Short mmCIF file of all heavy atoms in Angstrom, two decimals:
data_model
loop_
_atom_site.label_atom_id
_atom_site.label_comp_id
_atom_site.label_asym_id
_atom_site.label_seq_id
_atom_site.Cartn_x
_atom_site.Cartn_y
_atom_site.Cartn_z
N ASP A 399 184.64 -139.84 -21.83
CA ASP A 399 184.87 -139.02 -20.64
C ASP A 399 185.55 -137.69 -20.96
O ASP A 399 186.15 -137.08 -20.09
CB ASP A 399 185.74 -139.80 -19.63
CG ASP A 399 184.99 -140.99 -19.03
OD1 ASP A 399 183.76 -141.04 -19.13
OD2 ASP A 399 185.65 -141.88 -18.46
N LYS A 400 185.47 -137.29 -22.20
CA LYS A 400 186.16 -136.05 -22.60
C LYS A 400 185.22 -135.23 -23.47
O LYS A 400 184.43 -135.79 -24.23
CB LYS A 400 187.41 -136.44 -23.38
CG LYS A 400 188.29 -135.29 -23.85
CD LYS A 400 189.55 -135.86 -24.52
CE LYS A 400 190.32 -134.77 -25.26
NZ LYS A 400 191.28 -134.06 -24.44
N TRP A 401 185.32 -133.91 -23.36
CA TRP A 401 184.42 -133.06 -24.14
C TRP A 401 185.23 -131.91 -24.75
O TRP A 401 185.86 -131.13 -24.03
CB TRP A 401 183.30 -132.49 -23.27
CG TRP A 401 182.27 -131.77 -24.08
CD1 TRP A 401 182.31 -130.46 -24.49
CD2 TRP A 401 181.08 -132.32 -24.64
NE1 TRP A 401 181.20 -130.17 -25.25
CE2 TRP A 401 180.43 -131.29 -25.36
CE3 TRP A 401 180.49 -133.58 -24.59
CZ2 TRP A 401 179.22 -131.49 -26.02
CZ3 TRP A 401 179.28 -133.77 -25.24
CH2 TRP A 401 178.66 -132.74 -25.94
N VAL A 402 185.20 -131.83 -26.07
CA VAL A 402 185.90 -130.73 -26.76
C VAL A 402 184.85 -129.93 -27.53
O VAL A 402 184.31 -130.42 -28.52
CB VAL A 402 186.97 -131.26 -27.73
CG1 VAL A 402 187.69 -130.10 -28.40
CG2 VAL A 402 187.97 -132.14 -26.99
N PRO A 403 184.52 -128.72 -27.08
CA PRO A 403 183.47 -127.95 -27.74
C PRO A 403 183.85 -127.56 -29.17
O PRO A 403 185.02 -127.34 -29.48
CB PRO A 403 183.34 -126.69 -26.88
CG PRO A 403 184.09 -126.96 -25.63
CD PRO A 403 185.10 -128.00 -25.94
N ARG A 404 182.83 -127.47 -30.00
CA ARG A 404 183.04 -127.11 -31.40
C ARG A 404 183.02 -125.59 -31.56
O ARG A 404 182.11 -124.92 -31.06
CB ARG A 404 181.88 -127.71 -32.22
CG ARG A 404 182.02 -127.53 -33.70
CD ARG A 404 180.81 -128.09 -34.45
NE ARG A 404 181.12 -128.20 -35.85
CZ ARG A 404 181.75 -129.23 -36.40
NH1 ARG A 404 182.06 -130.26 -35.65
NH2 ARG A 404 182.05 -129.24 -37.68
N PRO A 405 184.02 -125.02 -32.25
CA PRO A 405 184.01 -123.57 -32.48
C PRO A 405 182.88 -123.16 -33.42
O PRO A 405 182.25 -124.00 -34.06
CB PRO A 405 185.36 -123.27 -33.10
CG PRO A 405 186.17 -124.50 -32.96
CD PRO A 405 185.22 -125.64 -32.79
N HIS A 406 182.69 -121.85 -33.54
CA HIS A 406 181.55 -121.32 -34.31
C HIS A 406 181.63 -121.68 -35.78
O HIS A 406 180.60 -121.82 -36.44
CB HIS A 406 181.49 -119.81 -34.14
CG HIS A 406 182.67 -119.10 -34.76
ND1 HIS A 406 183.94 -119.20 -34.26
CD2 HIS A 406 182.75 -118.32 -35.87
CE1 HIS A 406 184.76 -118.50 -35.01
NE2 HIS A 406 184.07 -117.95 -35.99
N LYS A 407 182.84 -121.81 -36.32
CA LYS A 407 182.96 -122.08 -37.75
C LYS A 407 184.22 -122.87 -38.02
O LYS A 407 185.32 -122.41 -37.70
CB LYS A 407 183.01 -120.74 -38.51
CG LYS A 407 182.91 -120.90 -40.02
CD LYS A 407 182.66 -119.55 -40.67
CE LYS A 407 182.52 -119.71 -42.17
NZ LYS A 407 182.22 -118.47 -42.85
N MET A 408 184.05 -124.04 -38.60
CA MET A 408 185.21 -124.88 -38.91
C MET A 408 185.27 -125.16 -40.40
O MET A 408 184.24 -125.40 -41.04
CB MET A 408 185.13 -126.20 -38.15
CG MET A 408 185.41 -126.03 -36.66
SD MET A 408 185.41 -127.59 -35.78
CE MET A 408 187.02 -128.25 -36.17
N ALA A 409 186.48 -125.17 -40.93
CA ALA A 409 186.66 -125.45 -42.36
C ALA A 409 186.44 -126.94 -42.62
O ALA A 409 186.60 -127.76 -41.71
CB ALA A 409 188.07 -125.06 -42.78
N PRO A 410 186.09 -127.30 -43.84
CA PRO A 410 185.97 -128.73 -44.14
C PRO A 410 187.34 -129.41 -44.10
O PRO A 410 188.37 -128.74 -44.11
CB PRO A 410 185.41 -128.73 -45.58
CG PRO A 410 185.65 -127.37 -46.12
CD PRO A 410 185.80 -126.43 -44.97
N HIS A 411 187.30 -130.74 -44.04
CA HIS A 411 188.56 -131.49 -44.04
C HIS A 411 189.37 -131.16 -45.29
O HIS A 411 188.81 -131.06 -46.39
CB HIS A 411 188.28 -133.00 -44.03
CG HIS A 411 187.53 -133.45 -42.80
ND1 HIS A 411 188.05 -133.34 -41.53
CD2 HIS A 411 186.30 -134.00 -42.66
CE1 HIS A 411 187.17 -133.81 -40.66
NE2 HIS A 411 186.10 -134.20 -41.31
N VAL A 412 190.66 -131.00 -45.15
CA VAL A 412 191.49 -130.62 -46.29
C VAL A 412 191.66 -131.81 -47.24
O VAL A 412 191.61 -132.96 -46.82
CB VAL A 412 192.88 -130.09 -45.87
CG1 VAL A 412 192.75 -128.86 -44.99
CG2 VAL A 412 193.70 -131.16 -45.18
N LYS A 413 191.89 -131.48 -48.50
CA LYS A 413 192.06 -132.55 -49.49
C LYS A 413 193.53 -132.72 -49.84
O LYS A 413 193.90 -132.86 -51.00
CB LYS A 413 191.24 -132.23 -50.73
CG LYS A 413 189.74 -132.26 -50.44
CD LYS A 413 188.91 -132.09 -51.66
CE LYS A 413 187.44 -132.26 -51.28
NZ LYS A 413 186.53 -131.85 -52.32
N ARG A 414 194.36 -132.66 -48.82
CA ARG A 414 195.80 -132.80 -49.02
C ARG A 414 196.34 -133.86 -48.08
O ARG A 414 195.76 -134.13 -47.04
CB ARG A 414 196.52 -131.48 -48.75
CG ARG A 414 196.22 -130.41 -49.71
CD ARG A 414 197.13 -129.21 -49.57
NE ARG A 414 196.92 -128.34 -50.72
CZ ARG A 414 195.93 -127.46 -50.80
NH1 ARG A 414 195.10 -127.31 -49.79
NH2 ARG A 414 195.79 -126.73 -51.88
N TRP A 415 197.47 -134.41 -48.45
CA TRP A 415 198.14 -135.40 -47.60
C TRP A 415 199.61 -135.05 -47.57
O TRP A 415 200.24 -134.91 -48.63
CB TRP A 415 197.95 -136.80 -48.17
CG TRP A 415 198.38 -137.86 -47.22
CD1 TRP A 415 199.65 -138.32 -47.01
CD2 TRP A 415 197.54 -138.62 -46.35
NE1 TRP A 415 199.66 -139.30 -46.05
CE2 TRP A 415 198.37 -139.50 -45.63
CE3 TRP A 415 196.16 -138.63 -46.09
CZ2 TRP A 415 197.86 -140.39 -44.68
CZ3 TRP A 415 195.67 -139.52 -45.15
CH2 TRP A 415 196.51 -140.39 -44.45
N ASN A 416 200.16 -134.92 -46.39
CA ASN A 416 201.57 -134.54 -46.28
C ASN A 416 202.42 -135.77 -45.95
O ASN A 416 202.37 -136.28 -44.84
CB ASN A 416 201.74 -133.46 -45.21
CG ASN A 416 203.08 -132.77 -45.32
OD1 ASN A 416 204.04 -133.34 -45.84
ND2 ASN A 416 203.13 -131.54 -44.85
N GLU A 417 203.21 -136.19 -46.92
CA GLU A 417 204.01 -137.41 -46.71
C GLU A 417 205.25 -137.16 -45.85
O GLU A 417 205.93 -138.11 -45.48
CB GLU A 417 204.40 -138.02 -48.05
CG GLU A 417 203.20 -138.58 -48.80
CD GLU A 417 203.55 -139.71 -49.75
OE1 GLU A 417 204.72 -140.10 -49.83
OE2 GLU A 417 202.62 -140.20 -50.42
N LEU A 418 205.52 -135.91 -45.52
CA LEU A 418 206.61 -135.68 -44.57
C LEU A 418 206.21 -136.09 -43.16
O LEU A 418 207.05 -136.34 -42.31
CB LEU A 418 207.01 -134.20 -44.56
CG LEU A 418 207.96 -133.73 -45.67
CD1 LEU A 418 208.21 -132.24 -45.54
CD2 LEU A 418 209.28 -134.48 -45.64
N THR A 419 204.90 -136.13 -42.93
CA THR A 419 204.43 -136.54 -41.60
C THR A 419 203.74 -137.91 -41.65
O THR A 419 203.77 -138.65 -40.68
CB THR A 419 203.44 -135.51 -41.03
OG1 THR A 419 202.62 -135.03 -42.08
CG2 THR A 419 204.16 -134.37 -40.38
N TRP A 420 203.10 -138.22 -42.77
CA TRP A 420 202.39 -139.49 -42.91
C TRP A 420 202.94 -140.24 -44.12
O TRP A 420 202.27 -140.37 -45.15
CB TRP A 420 200.88 -139.23 -43.09
CG TRP A 420 200.27 -138.55 -41.90
CD1 TRP A 420 200.10 -137.21 -41.73
CD2 TRP A 420 199.76 -139.17 -40.73
NE1 TRP A 420 199.52 -136.95 -40.52
CE2 TRP A 420 199.30 -138.15 -39.87
CE3 TRP A 420 199.65 -140.50 -40.28
CZ2 TRP A 420 198.73 -138.40 -38.62
CZ3 TRP A 420 199.09 -140.75 -39.04
CH2 TRP A 420 198.65 -139.71 -38.24
N PRO A 421 204.20 -140.73 -44.00
CA PRO A 421 204.82 -141.40 -45.15
C PRO A 421 204.12 -142.72 -45.47
O PRO A 421 203.56 -143.36 -44.57
CB PRO A 421 206.24 -141.65 -44.66
CG PRO A 421 206.13 -141.69 -43.18
CD PRO A 421 205.03 -140.75 -42.80
N ARG A 422 204.17 -143.10 -46.71
CA ARG A 422 203.39 -144.28 -47.07
C ARG A 422 203.95 -145.59 -46.52
O ARG A 422 203.27 -146.59 -46.49
CB ARG A 422 203.17 -144.36 -48.58
CG ARG A 422 204.37 -144.48 -49.43
CD ARG A 422 203.97 -144.46 -50.89
NE ARG A 422 203.44 -143.14 -51.27
CZ ARG A 422 202.87 -142.89 -52.44
NH1 ARG A 422 202.73 -143.85 -53.34
NH2 ARG A 422 202.44 -141.68 -52.74
N GLU A 423 205.19 -145.57 -46.04
CA GLU A 423 205.74 -146.81 -45.45
C GLU A 423 205.00 -147.20 -44.16
O GLU A 423 205.08 -148.34 -43.73
CB GLU A 423 207.22 -146.64 -45.09
CG GLU A 423 208.15 -146.58 -46.28
CD GLU A 423 208.45 -145.14 -46.70
OE1 GLU A 423 207.62 -144.25 -46.38
OE2 GLU A 423 209.48 -144.90 -47.34
N TYR A 424 204.34 -146.24 -43.54
CA TYR A 424 203.71 -146.52 -42.23
C TYR A 424 202.19 -146.30 -42.30
O TYR A 424 201.68 -145.35 -41.70
CB TYR A 424 204.31 -145.59 -41.16
CG TYR A 424 205.77 -145.84 -40.89
CD1 TYR A 424 206.75 -145.14 -41.60
CD2 TYR A 424 206.18 -146.76 -39.94
CE1 TYR A 424 208.10 -145.37 -41.36
CE2 TYR A 424 207.53 -146.99 -39.70
CZ TYR A 424 208.47 -146.29 -40.41
OH TYR A 424 209.80 -146.52 -40.17
N PRO A 425 201.47 -147.15 -43.01
CA PRO A 425 200.04 -146.90 -43.17
C PRO A 425 199.26 -146.95 -41.87
O PRO A 425 198.19 -146.35 -41.76
CB PRO A 425 199.59 -148.02 -44.11
CG PRO A 425 200.61 -149.10 -43.97
CD PRO A 425 201.91 -148.39 -43.68
N LEU A 426 199.78 -147.66 -40.86
CA LEU A 426 199.03 -147.80 -39.61
C LEU A 426 199.65 -146.99 -38.47
O LEU A 426 199.24 -147.13 -37.32
CB LEU A 426 198.96 -149.28 -39.19
CG LEU A 426 198.35 -150.23 -40.24
CD1 LEU A 426 198.40 -151.68 -39.74
CD2 LEU A 426 196.91 -149.84 -40.55
N ALA A 427 200.63 -146.15 -38.80
CA ALA A 427 201.28 -145.35 -37.76
C ALA A 427 200.21 -144.59 -37.01
O ALA A 427 199.34 -143.96 -37.62
CB ALA A 427 202.27 -144.38 -38.37
N TYR A 428 200.32 -144.65 -35.69
CA TYR A 428 199.17 -144.10 -35.00
C TYR A 428 199.15 -142.58 -34.99
O TYR A 428 198.08 -141.98 -34.96
CB TYR A 428 198.99 -144.72 -33.60
CG TYR A 428 197.53 -144.71 -33.37
CD1 TYR A 428 196.73 -145.58 -34.11
CD2 TYR A 428 196.93 -143.73 -32.61
CE1 TYR A 428 195.36 -145.48 -34.04
CE2 TYR A 428 195.57 -143.65 -32.54
CZ TYR A 428 194.79 -144.52 -33.26
OH TYR A 428 193.44 -144.41 -33.23
N PHE A 429 200.30 -141.95 -35.06
CA PHE A 429 200.35 -140.50 -35.24
C PHE A 429 201.43 -140.19 -36.26
O PHE A 429 202.00 -141.09 -36.86
CB PHE A 429 200.64 -139.80 -33.90
CG PHE A 429 199.39 -139.37 -33.18
CD1 PHE A 429 198.43 -140.28 -32.80
CD2 PHE A 429 199.17 -138.04 -32.87
CE1 PHE A 429 197.27 -139.89 -32.13
CE2 PHE A 429 198.03 -137.63 -32.21
CZ PHE A 429 197.08 -138.56 -31.84
N GLU A 430 201.70 -138.90 -36.44
CA GLU A 430 202.69 -138.48 -37.42
C GLU A 430 204.06 -139.11 -37.10
O GLU A 430 204.42 -139.24 -35.93
CB GLU A 430 202.85 -136.96 -37.40
CG GLU A 430 201.56 -136.19 -37.65
CD GLU A 430 200.85 -135.80 -36.35
OE1 GLU A 430 201.15 -136.39 -35.30
OE2 GLU A 430 199.99 -134.92 -36.40
N MET A 431 204.81 -139.42 -38.14
CA MET A 431 206.15 -140.00 -37.93
C MET A 431 207.12 -138.85 -37.63
O MET A 431 208.11 -138.62 -38.33
CB MET A 431 206.58 -140.79 -39.16
CG MET A 431 205.74 -142.03 -39.41
SD MET A 431 205.67 -143.15 -37.99
CE MET A 431 207.38 -143.58 -37.76
N SER A 432 206.81 -138.14 -36.57
CA SER A 432 207.44 -136.86 -36.29
C SER A 432 208.94 -136.95 -36.11
O SER A 432 209.68 -136.08 -36.56
CB SER A 432 206.82 -136.28 -35.02
OG SER A 432 206.99 -137.18 -33.95
N PHE A 433 209.39 -138.00 -35.44
CA PHE A 433 210.83 -138.03 -35.12
C PHE A 433 211.67 -138.43 -36.33
O PHE A 433 212.89 -138.42 -36.24
CB PHE A 433 211.09 -138.93 -33.90
CG PHE A 433 210.69 -140.37 -34.08
CD1 PHE A 433 211.64 -141.32 -34.41
CD2 PHE A 433 209.39 -140.78 -33.92
CE1 PHE A 433 211.28 -142.66 -34.57
CE2 PHE A 433 209.02 -142.10 -34.08
CZ PHE A 433 209.96 -143.04 -34.41
N LEU A 434 211.02 -138.77 -37.45
CA LEU A 434 211.79 -139.08 -38.66
C LEU A 434 211.89 -137.86 -39.59
O LEU A 434 212.48 -137.95 -40.67
CB LEU A 434 211.14 -140.25 -39.42
CG LEU A 434 211.05 -141.58 -38.68
CD1 LEU A 434 210.56 -142.68 -39.61
CD2 LEU A 434 212.39 -141.97 -38.07
N LEU A 435 211.31 -136.74 -39.18
CA LEU A 435 211.30 -135.56 -40.06
C LEU A 435 212.70 -135.20 -40.58
O LEU A 435 212.88 -135.01 -41.79
CB LEU A 435 210.65 -134.37 -39.34
CG LEU A 435 210.60 -133.07 -40.14
CD1 LEU A 435 209.73 -133.22 -41.38
CD2 LEU A 435 210.06 -131.93 -39.27
N PRO A 436 213.72 -135.11 -39.72
CA PRO A 436 215.03 -134.72 -40.27
C PRO A 436 215.61 -135.77 -41.21
O PRO A 436 216.33 -135.44 -42.14
CB PRO A 436 215.91 -134.56 -39.02
CG PRO A 436 215.24 -135.35 -37.96
CD PRO A 436 213.77 -135.31 -38.26
N HIS A 437 215.26 -137.03 -40.96
CA HIS A 437 215.76 -138.08 -41.86
C HIS A 437 215.10 -137.95 -43.23
O HIS A 437 215.74 -138.15 -44.26
CB HIS A 437 215.50 -139.46 -41.25
CG HIS A 437 216.07 -139.59 -39.87
ND1 HIS A 437 215.44 -139.10 -38.75
CD2 HIS A 437 217.24 -140.11 -39.43
CE1 HIS A 437 216.18 -139.33 -37.68
NE2 HIS A 437 217.28 -139.95 -38.07
N PHE A 438 213.80 -137.62 -43.21
CA PHE A 438 213.10 -137.44 -44.49
C PHE A 438 213.66 -136.22 -45.23
O PHE A 438 213.84 -136.25 -46.46
CB PHE A 438 211.60 -137.25 -44.25
CG PHE A 438 210.90 -138.46 -43.70
CD1 PHE A 438 209.69 -138.35 -43.02
CD2 PHE A 438 211.43 -139.73 -43.87
CE1 PHE A 438 209.03 -139.46 -42.52
CE2 PHE A 438 210.78 -140.86 -43.36
CZ PHE A 438 209.58 -140.72 -42.68
N LEU A 439 213.93 -135.15 -44.47
CA LEU A 439 214.51 -133.95 -45.12
C LEU A 439 215.89 -134.28 -45.69
O LEU A 439 216.24 -133.87 -46.79
CB LEU A 439 214.59 -132.80 -44.12
CG LEU A 439 213.24 -132.22 -43.63
CD1 LEU A 439 213.45 -131.20 -42.52
CD2 LEU A 439 212.46 -131.57 -44.78
N LYS A 440 216.64 -135.03 -44.95
CA LYS A 440 217.99 -135.42 -45.38
C LYS A 440 217.93 -136.23 -46.68
O LYS A 440 218.80 -136.12 -47.54
CB LYS A 440 218.61 -136.26 -44.27
CG LYS A 440 220.11 -136.34 -44.25
CD LYS A 440 220.55 -137.00 -42.94
CE LYS A 440 222.05 -137.12 -42.84
NZ LYS A 440 222.48 -137.57 -41.52
N GLU A 441 216.88 -137.04 -46.79
CA GLU A 441 216.74 -137.87 -48.00
C GLU A 441 216.12 -137.11 -49.17
O GLU A 441 215.86 -137.69 -50.21
CB GLU A 441 215.82 -139.07 -47.69
CG GLU A 441 216.48 -140.10 -46.82
CD GLU A 441 215.59 -141.32 -46.61
OE1 GLU A 441 214.35 -141.19 -46.68
OE2 GLU A 441 216.14 -142.40 -46.38
N GLY A 442 215.78 -135.84 -48.93
CA GLY A 442 215.21 -135.04 -50.02
C GLY A 442 213.75 -135.33 -50.31
O GLY A 442 213.27 -135.11 -51.41
N ARG A 443 213.02 -135.79 -49.28
CA ARG A 443 211.60 -136.07 -49.52
C ARG A 443 210.76 -134.80 -49.56
O ARG A 443 209.57 -134.86 -49.83
CB ARG A 443 211.05 -136.99 -48.43
CG ARG A 443 211.66 -138.38 -48.41
CD ARG A 443 210.87 -139.28 -47.46
NE ARG A 443 211.47 -140.59 -47.32
CZ ARG A 443 210.80 -141.68 -46.96
NH1 ARG A 443 209.51 -141.61 -46.70
NH2 ARG A 443 211.40 -142.83 -46.84
N GLY A 444 211.33 -133.70 -49.22
CA GLY A 444 210.59 -132.44 -49.23
C GLY A 444 211.40 -131.37 -48.52
O GLY A 444 212.53 -131.63 -48.08
N ARG A 445 210.85 -130.18 -48.44
CA ARG A 445 211.46 -129.10 -47.67
C ARG A 445 210.35 -128.33 -46.96
O ARG A 445 209.16 -128.55 -47.26
CB ARG A 445 212.27 -128.15 -48.57
CG ARG A 445 211.42 -127.24 -49.43
CD ARG A 445 212.26 -126.23 -50.22
NE ARG A 445 212.86 -125.18 -49.40
CZ ARG A 445 212.23 -124.06 -49.02
NH1 ARG A 445 210.97 -123.84 -49.37
NH2 ARG A 445 212.84 -123.15 -48.29
N LEU A 446 210.75 -127.49 -46.03
CA LEU A 446 209.76 -126.68 -45.31
C LEU A 446 210.06 -125.21 -45.53
O LEU A 446 211.21 -124.78 -45.39
CB LEU A 446 209.80 -127.01 -43.81
CG LEU A 446 209.38 -128.44 -43.46
CD1 LEU A 446 209.65 -128.73 -41.99
CD2 LEU A 446 207.91 -128.67 -43.78
N GLU A 447 209.04 -124.47 -45.87
CA GLU A 447 209.20 -123.02 -46.02
C GLU A 447 209.09 -122.35 -44.64
O GLU A 447 209.92 -121.55 -44.27
CB GLU A 447 208.10 -122.48 -46.96
CG GLU A 447 208.06 -120.98 -47.10
CD GLU A 447 209.29 -120.40 -47.77
OE1 GLU A 447 209.97 -121.13 -48.53
OE2 GLU A 447 209.58 -119.20 -47.54
N VAL A 448 208.03 -122.73 -43.90
CA VAL A 448 207.85 -122.19 -42.54
C VAL A 448 207.59 -123.36 -41.60
O VAL A 448 206.67 -124.15 -41.82
CB VAL A 448 206.68 -121.18 -42.48
CG1 VAL A 448 206.52 -120.65 -41.05
CG2 VAL A 448 206.92 -120.00 -43.43
N TYR A 449 208.40 -123.46 -40.58
CA TYR A 449 208.31 -124.57 -39.63
C TYR A 449 208.16 -123.98 -38.23
O TYR A 449 209.05 -123.29 -37.74
CB TYR A 449 209.59 -125.40 -39.73
CG TYR A 449 209.69 -126.57 -38.76
CD1 TYR A 449 208.70 -127.55 -38.71
CD2 TYR A 449 210.79 -126.70 -37.91
CE1 TYR A 449 208.82 -128.62 -37.84
CE2 TYR A 449 210.92 -127.78 -37.05
CZ TYR A 449 209.92 -128.73 -37.01
OH TYR A 449 210.03 -129.80 -36.15
N PHE A 450 206.98 -124.21 -37.64
CA PHE A 450 206.73 -123.75 -36.27
C PHE A 450 207.07 -124.88 -35.30
O PHE A 450 206.56 -126.00 -35.46
CB PHE A 450 205.25 -123.41 -36.05
CG PHE A 450 204.74 -122.23 -36.82
CD1 PHE A 450 204.07 -122.40 -38.03
CD2 PHE A 450 204.92 -120.94 -36.35
CE1 PHE A 450 203.58 -121.33 -38.74
CE2 PHE A 450 204.42 -119.84 -37.05
CZ PHE A 450 203.75 -120.03 -38.26
#
Side-chain angles (χ1 to χ4, degrees):
D399 291 343
K400 182 176 168 88
W401 188 275
V402 181
R404 185 182 194 85
H406 66 291
K407 189 168 182 177
M408 288 183 79
H411 298 297
V412 300
K413 293 186 175 168
R414 293 191 169 83
W415 191 277
N416 196 335
E417 292 207 2
L418 278 178
T419 38
W420 298 93
R422 62 183 68 188
E423 288 95 336
Y424 295 91
L426 304 177
Y428 211 70
F429 266 60
E430 303 94 342
M431 294 305 299
S432 58
F433 61 99
L434 299 187
L435 179 64
H437 305 80
F438 293 158
L439 293 173
K440 202 170 180 172
E441 287 184 333
R443 294 190 185 204
R445 73 175 289 276
L446 295 172
E447 174 66 24
V448 180
Y449 178 56
F450 293 97

